[in-house]
Amino acid sequence: MAPIKRKGGGGDAPLSAGSRARPSDDRPQKKQKKSRDGTANTAGVPSVVSKSSTSAKSGTKLSSLRAEEPAFPRGGASVLTPLEHKQIKIDATRDVLFEQSGSKKRGEASEDVGFEDTGSTAKLVSGKKKLKSKAKKGQSLVEPEDSGVRIEGLSYKRLVPGSLVLGQVFQITANDVALALPNNLTGYVPLTSMSSGITGRLEALVERENEESDEEVEDGDPSKDDDIDLKALFSLGQYLRARVSSTSDESSTNGVAKRKRRIELSVDPKQVNAGLSKAELVANNMIQASVVSVEDHGMVMDLGLADASVRGFMSSREVGYGVSPASIEKGAVFLCHVIGQNSSGSIVKLSADPQRVLNIKKAKFLADAPTIDAFLPGTPVEILVAEVTGSGMAGKVMGMVDVTADIMHSGAGTDPKWEKKLKVGQKIKARVICTFPTAEPRKLGVSTLEHIVSLSSTKALQGEEKVDPITALPLSTILQEAKIVRVVSDVGLFLDVGVTGIPGFVHISRIADKKVDTLVESSGPYKLDSVHRARIIGYNPMDGLYLASMEESTLNQPFLRIEDIKVGEVVKGAVDKIIINPKGVGGVLIKLADGIAGLVPEIHMADVKLSHPEKKFRDGISVTARVLSTDPGKRQFRLTLKKTLVNSEAMIFKSYEDISVASQSPGTIVKILPAGAVVQFYGPVRAFLPVSEMSETYIQDPSQHFRIGQVVSVHVLSVDAESQKMVVSCRDRAGLDSERAVALNELRLGSTVDGKVIEKSSDDVTVELAESGLKGIVALGHLTDGSEQKNLSALKRIRVNQTLRNLVVLQKSENKRTITLSNKPTLVADAKASKLIKSFDEVREGVTVNGFVNNVTSTGVFIQFAAGLTGLLLKRDMSGEALQLPDFGMRRHQSLSASILSVDHAQRRFLLSMKGPSTLEARQTNISSSGLMPENPVDGAIASLENLALGKVTKARITSIKETQINVQLADNIQGRIDVSAVFDSWDEIKDRKHPLRSFKTKSIISVRILGIHDARNHRFLPITHRVGRVPVFELSAKPSDQTETASQILTLDKVKVGSSWLAFINNISDDCIWVNISPNVRGRLRHLDVSDDVILLRDLEKNFPVGSALKVHVKNVDVDANRLDLSARSPSSLSGSGFTSLAKGMVIPARVTKVTERQIVVQLNETVSGPVGLTDLSDDYSTANPTTYSKNEIVRVCVTDLDVPNKRVLLSTRPSKVLDSSLPVKDREISSLSQAKVNDIVRGFVKNVADNGIFVSLGSQVTAYVRVSDLSDSFIKDWKSNFQVDQLVQGKIISVDPLLNHVQMSLKRSIVDKDYVSPVIFNDVKVGQIVTGKVRKVEDFGVFIVVDGSANVSGLCHRSEIADERVEDVRTLYDEGDVVKARVLKVEPDKRRISFGLKASYFDGAGEENEEDESDEGDGESDVEDVMEADGDGDEDGDEDMDDGGVDLGDVQDFDEVVEEEVMDEGGQPRPSGSAGLSTHGFDWTASNLDEGTKRSQSESENERVDKPKRKKRRPEIREDRTGDLDAYGPQSGEDFERLLLGQPDSSSLWLQYMAFQLQLSEVAKARETAERALKTISITEETEKMNVWIGLLNLENTYGSDATVEEVFHRATHYNDPQEIHERLASIYIQSGKHDQATALFQTMSKKFSQSPRVWQNHATYLMQTLSQPAMARALLPRALQALPPHAHIATTTKFAALEFRSPAGDAERGRTLFEGLLASFPRRWDLWNVFLDLEMAGGDAEAVRALFKRTVAAKGLKGKTARAFFKRWVAFEEGLSREGNVADVQARAAEWVRSAKGEEGGVA
């Protein structure tokens, strides 16, 4: 072993002493140095500072220049020229060299001083706590006398600029490369710190851009240019040596996620190889190099050494297998293996071959190093183990260099027996991964992990396959059972995450939300082999560990990554920041979770444009948004806050493939064009909205009617998923009523109709068709066949209301609802004679047709017929006279007669001619005129083409055999083809059904019959007379039956009959059908479901039915006009047929999946019937019911479980017990009707809906159970809705079934469902002296309320005197809500149901258990407890009541029996008079009387909540013989009871309303109406209020059970007998409570016009708009209208009400309210009632400073009298006392005294 020379020069060397400390960096190292010295400045410090300041020059100069650059410089380039960049580099290099030249002496001096200072400091402060605390943080200030190597790993605190580390590339972006570093660190390599080659390319790119153009480039970042692609320069998993450039704790990314501790690295060989010389480049060493140029035999490499003459060379053979040298670009960086040098040492031979570099098992580790600087990260070494501990190991390399491996990289973390396996003195292989520049003595960090030693990537075992760890266990995965396999105290836990070969690690700070001080392997909640829930939050390829978290907050966090966010999902977040741009507010950043924030663009901040968005979006407020799009690559996502999008329940357009025609969804206009607008939906989906589809009326300029950012509801007209194009419409789809829609659908093109003229213009005539009422248009040119003058004359003779007879229907558009008609006699005659062409299939060559000119071009004329069918008349086919005239003598709509010249079936085009039949005959070449002579004919009897006539039987030679045809030769120069359908006569002749033509051999001669000519262009069968090409291809038949002279005629479609059977051969397989041939010219189609009776075969059609296969089919439908033939290969007995008539209950049939959602699949049974399969019908085990496992167009077997033919509804099931075998096990039985639901059955189902009063669970396709809130859980759930979501699988017990009402009620309580359920602790179970655990429910100044764990909401108080043994000044500093505590029961008061707890530590010690509290303290405590309990007693009593009802407040929950509101009953069951002071709905007062109540309102409301809770009436099934005397006790229980009571109280409206409610509970709606009418006739005419109550009840009844017409009828009657305004207001209240906002809006508009003189109407209208509809803009627009309509004396009160509404409404703006009050006070400064109202509203807002400022203005107002001033000062003092501000109270009192003195002084002056 060669001796090691310690090199002292080079202050920049990684292991030199001079690079240990960098005071210029604002890092903890500077503080460490200061604390080591023990003084602020010692003799040694100046030398260190001077050295560091010098070394920092090169870094600070460039960074300062960068800081001064503009954020977006012109052209995106740097403000410095390439020459300036180069000069800066030269200066920086000179500074570094200057620093290195003198660093040795300075380093030695600082070391000496450091040792002296350290020694003295150790003696002075050896016993101080400060030294001890710093030592805990790893910042050792005093070194022990034993200078042993401390085992430690790399951490952020130990990383200083200049540190070298080994990293692995795990992410590549456009601007930087991310390296995974040891110990879960991550570094980033910017584009400018990679290599000199890349920097040079950047400079050249910038220089070229500056020379080419001076135009401003919006995005000129060179990193985004195609010339520099970092993914082509680096590869994932690549190992690189990196140098730490800087570390930062304050950086952020666009203000979104504060990324603390960002590490910037450099992989430039000049940086990472600094300090190396040519002598250190020995064999087996590792050096980093960049590609300078790519030559023929290899790459010239830059080593970055100070000696520029030393270069590297890597041969093309050393690149590695599978890597092409041509793909390597200039500037690429590699960590290379030194394999040798040339004789002079100027060329170093390198290798990047994985076989050579990645394997050190052949002793290819560094064994000879001239200096210690040769050991850099990445170097393989052999270590002599010197020390082994539980936290790692230490050793030496070559006996001189100290190395350490921490618990992560020594293997000790996952192997408990690691200490026993590794022995002191043993030699092991390792690889250097980092340096510790600041450590003394100097040492290196190494890793013995297998993947780092071999420089490979860790793979996870998934079965027998090795996969990427992230693939095996994706990020954000929640592990329900993660087992602890190793516990490391003060470090963390190692977990078994279920992936073979890769463990998981939880840092101690990630174990729980609360701080965990230490971990014990044998005890505690985190002991060895215990199982916990954990969540994967990352993976570090360097450590080979999954990073996990067991914190409850992390487990419950909805999103950890942007990839977890789904487009279209509704999310909740908080405002993080408002984006300000030059135009103002440009958007809002919404924070969804830590580190995850999305942008809300300006147009998506609200449905309307906000004038002051900064007031609406204050930092931290909660918002609900919907995800518009995500871009994980850029770490960005967009949100919308538009209520119309967030609250929309329409389909989410996020993929073109999922959108179908007629689908409807709201979208946002993002661009307005003259021809329409661009509408954006979710993700990449956009659509075009044509201007013609924007409105029912004509729109000339879309920008006048629409704006960018406006939300429009559209439906899809057309969608093309492949080209990602979509056209939408805003027009009303229901523009036609059902009768007219049917009439338009039945209207046939080419038919004749009569129409009455309803409108006439200069260009056309509009008629209304007889009977149907449809509107059609007759253009001016279609009135006659004559000239323009004749058309004008005919137009003049037409009069409105005149009937035009025999109009021809030329075209109709169901989308645009237009009909085009013609009155041309030629077209009318053709229509009556059925000669008018209406489809392409009617076009026949040689036929003369009549049409009209549609367009004239320079090359020809387009002739149009019916149905928009157009033919082309070319110039060559016109007469000579026509060619001499302008536009060929033709005009638009001119009548024209022409002959069809040719038809192109493939392109569906045809040509016309006006030259007569002779030209047509000339174009159809005769066989005899071709002059083609057969060469070597197969049949010797063929001498010329004249012998190949139609029906001729001859011989042919097979040349090739295809799947669907046989190619033959009739002669060497005459070809023919035999379609597979023209080979066999019967099914039995086919030997191989999948490949029928395999029995034929090439070159064999067969007998054939000539059928005609084959058109090779469109593969169509043509007549024998039609021959376009010079050499024809004959269509032949090889059927045995056709080889006779009397063969059957050629089959055509019109000869095929429904029900007939044929032999068919598959020609093509498409997505929805199979095309087959039954003859060469007759083609049909089979739906996938009709191919076979065996569903198994249908699942892979291409395999089981390849092209060319033979099928036995029968005809289902023939449409000759549409040229359509529908076939089926299924047996006639199993033929599905069409419609519902072919279906029967219990039938098992195949079906095709047409749509897949998260809730169901939709399948198609036949052409007209489709049906859904819900979650309850998918599987016999609901746990496996997952619709997403199905794919579109998949064939499945379904069972018809129910059939409703009148309503065209079918219920289907794919349960295996239904479609396969009924004996299969069924875990969740099918419940298809109410009779199958039995009480006490335990069943499972899926949550169908989550309502305010409970949840609805789907037990079957037609059975839904209701679960009350009180039946959801045994314990109290505050936010129970968050625990349930739609489609969630739940298990419960049926507790009641009501067949009459069709109701099923079930319970999800564990106490009811689980027979082994252990009941929770109740109040009587708590005993004095018992020790319990619980959680803090509430924290008050006098103590904390504690809820006992595992109890039915049993809680008690721990007084402040019982919290700790010492006096507690502030309880809130010790406990927060939700804290887990252990308490001792001190006192139980059963009569008051109170429990007193103690938390003192002495209660849990043996010595302190017998101690008793001091009498005075106990007395104080009890007095406080008495006060608190009296104030909180109701809450505790409610809590006990909640225990009986499952811990849920049932006050707002209705049973099935409750049909109408029970607001007329008080607690005693007696009638309660209903107030008529004004409308009241949803918590706001329609009379706006709350303005006068002030602060008393909240107190009265809280009291009313406790007193006015309605009680439910229970129907008693007991039959009593005489209950007259019990009516007062039990109330009326039958109709007879009510009748008895009404005899004594005929004028009681409450009793009549109870009678109506009783009848409604029995579903007797008609009797309830009769009762209401009886009440109106019975109640005395003087009892107006009682009559009014009955009218309101009748309106409620009709609104709930009647129709709009019945409500309108009762309403008009009520207005005749009562105050009209009162009835209007009551009906509006009813509409609002029932959610009928459209009717309420219309009614308010009527009231505003009808009762415009009533201030209450305007106030109620504004309250409705502001609070119910959340439309503040519309509400504010009412104020000027109200002031204009109301008399002047009502203006002040009305304005005050509107201003108060701004304060109190959630949609209001307090600033607007203040503005209105300021205007009133400016006009009426002595209206003290306005000041009082203003103060009430400000105090309710909670802004103390604003309230004080208003009080100051009030008492300083002019004209304030003594009595009024006293009232204001008294209110001010009460306000300050409520805030517990004694200083402010004294200030107010001083102001009051000053005011009194001032007032007396004024009075004296006057006197």
Side-chain angles (χ1 to χ4, degrees), residues 1620-1632:
Q1621 180 178 342
E1622 181 75 15
I1623 295 298
H1624 277 78
E1625 292 174 344
R1626 292 299 185 95
L1627 181 59
S1629 177
I1630 293 171
Y1631 280 150
I1632 295 172

Side-chain angles (χ1 to χ4, degrees), residues 246 834 901 918 1356 1447 1455 1665 1678 1708:
S246 64
S834 300
L901 185 62
S918 59
D1455 291 332
L1665 292 174
L1678 289 178

Side-chain angles (χ1 to χ4, degrees), residues 516-781:
V516 177
D517 295 327
T518 185
L519 300 170
V520 181
E521 189 176 46
S522 58
S523 64
Y526 308 108
K527 63 182 179 180
L528 196 64
D529 294 333
S530 60
V531 177
H532 302 269
R533 293 177 71 235
R535 189 169 190 174
I536 303 299
I537 60 175
Y539 173 75
N540 189 296
M542 282 293 292
D543 301 333
L545 292 173
Y546 288 109
L547 305 175
S549 173
M550 292 163 53
E551 298 168 294
E552 196 66 27
S553 59
T554 302
L555 292 172
N556 297 332
Q557 187 169 329
F559 310 111
L560 294 182
R561 307 177 302 154
I562 294 180
E563 289 81 356
D564 300 335
I565 303 173
K566 305 303 180 185
V567 174
E569 182 180 6
V570 177
V571 296
K572 292 185 180 296
V575 175
D576 189 43
K577 185 180 178 182
I578 296 180
I579 305 299
I580 305 297
N581 57 23
K583 296 182 180 179
V585 177
V588 180
L589 289 175
I590 304 298
K591 181 179 179 181
L592 304 186
D594 290 340
I596 298 180
L599 174 66
V600 179
E602 181 185 2
I603 63 173
H604 281 280
M605 291 194 297
D607 288 308
V608 297
K609 186 174 179 60
L610 301 176
S611 302
H612 301 285
E614 66 278 0
K615 296 181 180 180
K616 180 178 178 64
F617 301 107
R618 295 186 175 92
D619 292 350
I621 66 170
S622 299
V623 294
T624 302
R626 192 183 286 271
V627 181
L628 287 175
S629 63
T630 61
D631 188 352
K634 295 182 179 179
R635 316 302 301 166
Q636 298 173 352
F637 62 96
R638 296 187 308 121
L639 303 169
T640 180
L641 295 175
K642 290 179 177 290
K643 297 298 182 183
T644 50
L645 296 180
V646 175
N647 299 330
S648 173
E649 297 181 358
M651 176 183 176
I652 300 297
F653 285 2
K654 58 183 178 181
S655 173
Y656 289 97
E657 289 76 10
D658 299 335
I659 302 173
S660 59
V661 176
S663 299
Q664 190 168 355
S665 180
T668 308
I669 295 178
V670 295
K671 190 175 184 180
I672 298 179
L673 305 170
V678 178
V679 181
Q680 186 179 43
F681 299 95
Y682 298 89
V685 178
R686 289 192 173 194
F688 179 67
L689 175 62
V691 66
S692 59
E693 297 294 336
M694 286 182 169
S695 175
E696 303 290 341
T697 59
Y698 173 72
I699 293 179
Q700 182 176 4
D701 185 4
S703 61
Q704 299 295 325
H705 303 272
F706 295 88
R707 59 177 175 81
I708 294 177
Q710 181 179 349
V711 177
V712 291
S713 180
V714 297
H715 57 271
V716 180
L717 296 180
S718 64
V719 58
D720 186 352
E722 294 183 0
S723 60
Q724 295 190 347
K725 293 182 179 180
M726 186 166 62
V727 180
V728 296
S729 173
C730 284
R731 299 178 64 178
D732 185 11
R733 290 187 298 170
L736 289 176
D737 54 27
S738 58
E739 295 182 359
R740 294 188 180 183
V742 171
L744 181 62
N745 185 40
E746 294 178 351
L747 186 64
R748 299 302 175 191
L749 298 178
S751 60
T752 57
V753 295
D754 298 339
K756 183 175 69 174
V757 179
I758 59 175
E759 186 179 349
K760 186 177 73 170
S761 67
S762 59
D763 297 325
D764 53 39
V765 175
T766 303
V767 299
E768 184 180 89
L769 304 188
E771 297 181 357
S772 64
L774 298 173
K775 295 181 181 180
I777 296 176
V778 183
L780 175 64

Side-chain angles (χ1 to χ4, degrees), residues 328-555:
I328 299 177
E329 298 183 9
K330 179 182 177 181
V333 181
F334 295 92
L335 185 60
C336 302
H337 190 193
V338 178
I339 59 177
Q341 298 181 0
N342 64 349
S343 57
S344 63
S346 60
I347 301 297
V348 181
K349 299 178 182 179
L350 306 175
S351 174
D353 187 359
Q355 299 301 322
R356 184 190 297 270
V357 177
L358 307 185
N359 189 2
I360 67 169
K361 294 183 179 180
K362 299 180 180 179
K364 289 187 177 180
F365 43 81
L366 190 59
D368 184 9
T371 67
I372 191 175
D373 294 306
F375 296 98
L376 297 180
T379 304
V381 294
E382 188 177 53
I383 300 174
L384 180 65
V385 178
E387 182 184 0
V388 180
T389 67
S391 60
M393 71 95 182
K396 290 184 179 293
V397 177
M398 297 184 185
M400 297 294 293
V401 183
D402 294 322
V403 296
T404 66
D406 63 358
I407 192 171
M408 295 293 181
H409 286 271
S410 63
T414 57
D415 190 357
K417 300 180 180 179
W418 178 80
E419 294 185 51
K420 298 180 181 180
K421 293 181 181 179
L422 200 61
K423 305 296 182 183
V424 176
Q426 181 180 348
K427 289 186 177 181
I428 59 174
K429 297 179 178 63
R431 192 177 291 273
V432 180
I433 59 173
C434 66
T435 64
F436 298 101
T438 61
E440 280 298 333
R442 289 179 292 177
K443 58 186 177 183
L444 301 173
V446 296
S447 175
T448 61
L449 299 180
E450 182 179 353
H451 65 279
I452 293 183
V453 171
S454 60
L455 288 184
S456 59
S457 297
T458 308
K459 296 294 182 181
L461 286 176
Q462 205 170 47
E464 298 181 356
E465 183 182 0
K466 291 185 177 181
V467 298
D468 187 75
I470 298 301
T471 304
L473 193 62
L475 300 183
S476 300
T477 302
I478 296 179
L479 305 174
Q480 299 298 333
E481 295 183 354
K483 183 178 179 182
I484 297 177
V485 297
R486 180 73 190 277
V487 178
V488 183
S489 179
D490 299 333
V491 177
L493 306 172
F494 287 88
L495 307 176
D496 179 3
V497 296
V499 178
T500 305
I502 303 180
F505 176 73
V506 182
H507 192 263
I508 191 171
S509 62
R510 286 279 191 175
I511 293 178
D513 291 321
K514 297 296 181 181
K515 182 179 179 181
V516 177
D517 295 327
T518 185
L519 300 170
V520 181
E521 189 176 46
S522 58
S523 64
Y526 308 108
K527 63 182 179 180
L528 196 64
D529 294 333
S530 60
V531 177
H532 302 269
R533 293 177 71 235
R535 189 169 190 174
I536 303 299
I537 60 175
Y539 173 75
N540 189 296
M542 282 293 292
D543 301 333
L545 292 173
Y546 288 109
L547 305 175
S549 173
M550 292 163 53
E551 298 168 294
E552 196 66 27
S553 59
T554 302
L555 292 172

Side-chain angles (χ1 to χ4, degrees), residues 46 80 108 232 314 434 477 784 873 887 927 1049 1084 1190 1244 1330 1349 1412 1718 1786:
L80 302 179
E108 292 173 354
M314 184 164 61
C434 66
T477 302
T784 67
L873 174 62
D887 292 336
I927 296 176
Q1049 295 182 353
Y1190 295 87
R1244 295 199 297 175
Q1330 182 179 352
D1349 288 342
E1412 296 183 357
E1718 294 295 344

